Each structure stands twice: as structure tokens, then as C-alpha cells.
Amino acid sequence: KRARLDWLVEKASELGAASLLPVWTERTQPERLNGERLRALAIAAAEQSERLSVPEVRTPERLDRLLASWPAERRLVVCDETGGGMPIASALGEFGDGPAGLLIGPEGGFTDTELDALGKLPIVTRVGLGARVLRAETAAVAALAVFQAIAGDWRRARPR
């Protein structure tokens, strides 16, 4: 949904995401994305939050292609609403300072086939976001905030 995606790009930019990559899964409801509009939203949000960088807004990619090209040194935290993952705070508490990505499923969640494929990858950590099933955009913002607090740049004081 356009308004929800716009909101997500804005909030993820404010929260410090370095890159935003829409992913097509089996349950994704395809929609044409206006990359230029999303980049403009990311720029405005970065300026508002006094970021010195703007997150890259990448071209949408299918999940299988994303996984095939994912860098081996970068962790992939997959938010799993089925209860198959450990609590996000516990999982992130074990992370070091290396690079990581967050993957949020579509409305309806990942299929069993997708979860099986993700579970076989050594770079993947499946996590849960608590007792409720969240909308995709809410899950993304919640996961990014927890990530920043536990393993990201919220561990450092804001420079003045």
C-alpha cells in the first residue's frame, strides 16, 4: 500500500537504515514502486533527523535472487511471525559489530517453503517480535528500533 510504504521509508530513514530493498516473496502483492518518490522521502527524512547520509533505495528484488547474492559476511535477521525464531533482543544480544540486514515478510508472512530455504542458510537468524502479529511496516520499524538499541548506533551518544 503506497501510504504505508511511504511511511516505512520515512521511518526507516529516520531510524538509520543504510539501505532499503523491497523484496518480492510468494505472498507479496505486486505493486509498481516509484523509486524516485521513495528516494525523495528518504532524503527528506534524513534531513529532518539530521543524518549525514541518505539510505540507498534499491530496486525491488525477488527473495531467491536476494538470497543467492547476499554477502556471506553479512548476517540476515529474518522476522518470523510463526514463532520459529528466538526473541529479537536475545538474538541481537549475541551479535558483534558486523554488518547485518533485517528481512520483514509480506502481509500473510513467509510461506513454509521460504522459511525452510531461509532456515538452511548459515547467515540467517530467525527472530520473533513478541506475542502479536504485526503489520509488515510496523514489524520493520519495531525490528529496526530494537536492532539500533541493541546492536546498532543507539549504543553511542549523539554527537553535539
Side-chain angles (χ1 to χ4, degrees):
K1 311 271 189 287
R2 181 178 170 181
R4 291 182 186 160
L5 181 60
D6 290 355
W7 181 84
L8 173 58
V9 168
E10 179 182 278
K11 299 310 167 201
S13 298
E14 291 174 16
L15 288 168
S19 181
L20 302 169
L21 172 56
V23 177
W24 301 129
T25 66
E26 290 183 40
R27 293 188 177 143
T28 299
Q29 298 175 3
E31 184 177 311
R32 188 169 177 265
L33 299 178
N34 182 334
E36 289 305 312
R37 186 184 85 255
L38 297 178
R39 280 185 213 46
L41 289 167
I43 291 168
E47 289 173 354
Q48 188 277 330
S49 61
E50 298 183 8
R51 278 185 72 166
L52 299 178
S53 62
V54 175
E56 174 188 16
V57 179
R58 296 177 47 194
T59 304
E61 195 170 340
R62 285 188 9 218
L63 179 60
D64 58 343
R65 289 189 185 152
L66 171 77
L67 296 176
S69 64
W70 192 262
E73 69 280 357
R74 182 179 299 266
R75 301 287 313 161
L76 182 59
V77 179
V78 177
C79 295
D80 176 5
E81 78 285 350
T82 68
M86 64 179 8
I88 189 171
S90 299
L92 294 178
E94 299 172 7
F95 273 43
D97 282 336
L102 291 170
L103 180 62
I104 309 298
E107 288 185 38
F110 294 107
T111 64
D112 289 339
T113 302
E114 290 168 333
L115 286 172
D116 287 344
L118 288 162
K120 292 175 183 173
L121 299 173
I123 55 155
V124 168
T125 301
R126 287 171 55 178
V127 300
L129 297 176
R132 290 165 293 286
V133 175
L134 305 174
R135 286 186 179 269
E137 68 275 8
T138 305
V141 170
L144 186 54
V146 172
F147 180 88
Q148 288 291 46
I150 295 173
D153 64 9
W154 285 6
R155 296 176 297 166
R156 297 185 294 272
R158 183 174 187 266
R160 297 201 177 254

